[in-house]
Amino acid sequence: MRESWELLTTGPPEADRSVLLLPGGANAARSFNLVMADPGLSGVRLVATTLPGMAGTPVSEDVSIPALSRRAGQLAKEHGCDVVVGFSHGATVALDMVLSGDFQGPVVLLGISLTTEDEAAFFRGVVRGSQKVGIWPMAILLRLMPLMARTAKAPELHKKELIEDFKQNRASDALLACVEYLDYIAEDRDFAAELAASGNPVWVVHAEKGDGGLTDAERATLHTAPNVTLVTIPGSVFLLPDEAPQETAAAIASALSHVS
C-alpha cells in the first residue's frame, strides 16, 4: 500500500541547508530528479514529496490547499527545511504555507497561477466538466499527459519516468485534488498583494510561454514588491522542473542565499 506523502531525499543528512520540494499536479516526487542532481545544489539536503492523489498516491486525507499546506508545513519542520519550492499545484500549496504562516522562510513558486484567469482554460473546462458529467473528461486528460511528456525537452530516461508516473494517476483522485485547487485560486483574494505584504523572500518563476502566467496587474504588484523576485525563462516550457532544471536550481540557490 502506497503512502499519501511519498518522500524522495538526496544530499547529506547533516547538511546545513535543507529544501522541501512540492511537485505539480499528476507529478511524483521524482519529477524533481534533474533539479536535485544539479551541481549548484550539491551539499544541500533536498526532500521531495508526492502530494496525495497524485501519480497514484492514495487520497487518505483532506486534499484542500489549506490542509495540504498544514501537512507540508509539518514536513518542512520535521526535516528542518529552510526553503520551500513548489511547481504549479505544489506552488499553490507553498503559497498557502506562506500566507497562513505554516512556513516562514524563502519560497520559490514555479509556474504558479494566482487567479483563475492565470490557469489554462482547457484545464479548467476539464475539471469543471468532470464535476458535472462524471470523471471521463479528467480520464481523457490524464491519458493525454504521457503524450505531453514525450515531447518534453528532457533526457529520455527522465521522460520515461514522467510517463510512468502520469500513467499511475487515477481520474477520481486527481479530480478531487484539482477541484480543491481551482476552488482555492478562485477565492476573492488578491494573492499577489498578500505575497507582497508577507515579507517572505519569494521567487516567482515562469516561462515566456507554456506554463501559465500572471495578469498584468499581478505582475505589476509583484514587480514593485521588495521581497519578490520575478524570473522569466525564455521560450516555451510546460514542465519547469523537468525542462528547465538549471534555471530552477539557480532560483533555489538564490533563495538559499537569503537564509540567515
Side-chain angles (χ1 to χ4, degrees):
M1 179 68 178
R2 295 177 64 181
E3 297 180 358
S4 294
W5 293 80
E6 294 179 339
L7 296 179
L8 174 67
T9 60
T10 62
E14 69 281 2
D16 292 335
R17 294 286 182 259
S18 295
V19 178
L20 179 65
L21 303 163
L22 306 172
N27 285 273
R30 65 177 177 175
S31 64
F32 278 103
N33 273 353
L34 301 179
V35 175
M36 298 169 87
D38 190 276
L41 298 177
S42 61
V44 177
R45 184 71 168 168
L46 299 163
V47 181
T49 181
T50 307
L51 299 177
M54 304 300 181
T57 56
V59 176
S60 58
E61 58 191 89
D62 184 355
V63 290
S64 67
I65 295 299
L68 296 178
S69 168
R70 290 189 293 271
R71 183 67 182 100
Q74 293 170 358
L75 278 178
K77 291 176 182 177
E78 291 169 8
H79 293 273
C81 294
D82 306 284
V83 170
V84 172
V85 180
F87 169 54
S88 190
H89 196 121
T92 303
V93 176
L95 167 72
D96 192 79
M97 291 172 71
V98 169
L99 301 184
S100 66
D102 288 322
F103 182 75
Q104 298 176 336
V107 294
V108 179
L109 307 176
L110 305 165
I112 191 169
S113 295
L114 295 175
T115 57
T116 300
E117 184 180 350
D118 296 333
E119 187 53 79
F122 174 74
F123 172 71
R124 301 198 315 264
V126 166
V127 175
R128 298 311 188 192
S130 295
Q131 287 183 276
K132 295 177 181 178
V133 304
I135 64 171
W136 63 264
M138 176 61 72
I140 292 174
L141 174 62
L142 292 174
R143 289 195 175 194
L144 293 174
M145 292 193 73
L147 298 178
M148 181 178 69
R150 290 189 179 96
T151 63
K153 299 183 286 288
E156 287 301 318
L157 177 60
H158 189 69
K159 286 198 286 189
K160 181 180 178 181
E161 292 174 346
L162 282 176
I163 292 168
E164 290 174 352
D165 291 336
F166 284 153
K167 288 181 176 180
Q168 293 296 313
N169 282 278
R170 293 183 292 270
S172 57
D173 290 347
L175 181 60
L176 286 174
C178 291
V179 167
E180 293 286 358
Y181 162 71
L182 286 183
D183 286 350
Y184 183 86
I185 64 172
E187 292 180 7
D188 185 19
R189 297 171 63 177
D190 188 340
F191 286 117
E194 290 184 46
L195 264 182
S198 70
N200 290 60
V202 179
W203 281 254
V204 177
V205 183
H206 276 283
E208 286 181 330
K209 297 179 181 179
D211 69 338
L214 301 170
T215 65
D216 291 342
E218 290 164 353
R219 187 171 290 277
T221 297
L222 297 175
H223 181 72
T224 58
N227 60 311
V228 178
T229 301
L230 290 174
V231 179
T232 302
I233 296 174
S236 179
V237 182
F238 285 92
L239 301 167
L240 282 168
D242 312 283
E243 300 183 275
Q246 291 180 329
E247 293 88 342
T248 299
I252 296 171
S254 294
L256 284 167
S257 71
H258 283 66
V259 175
S260 57

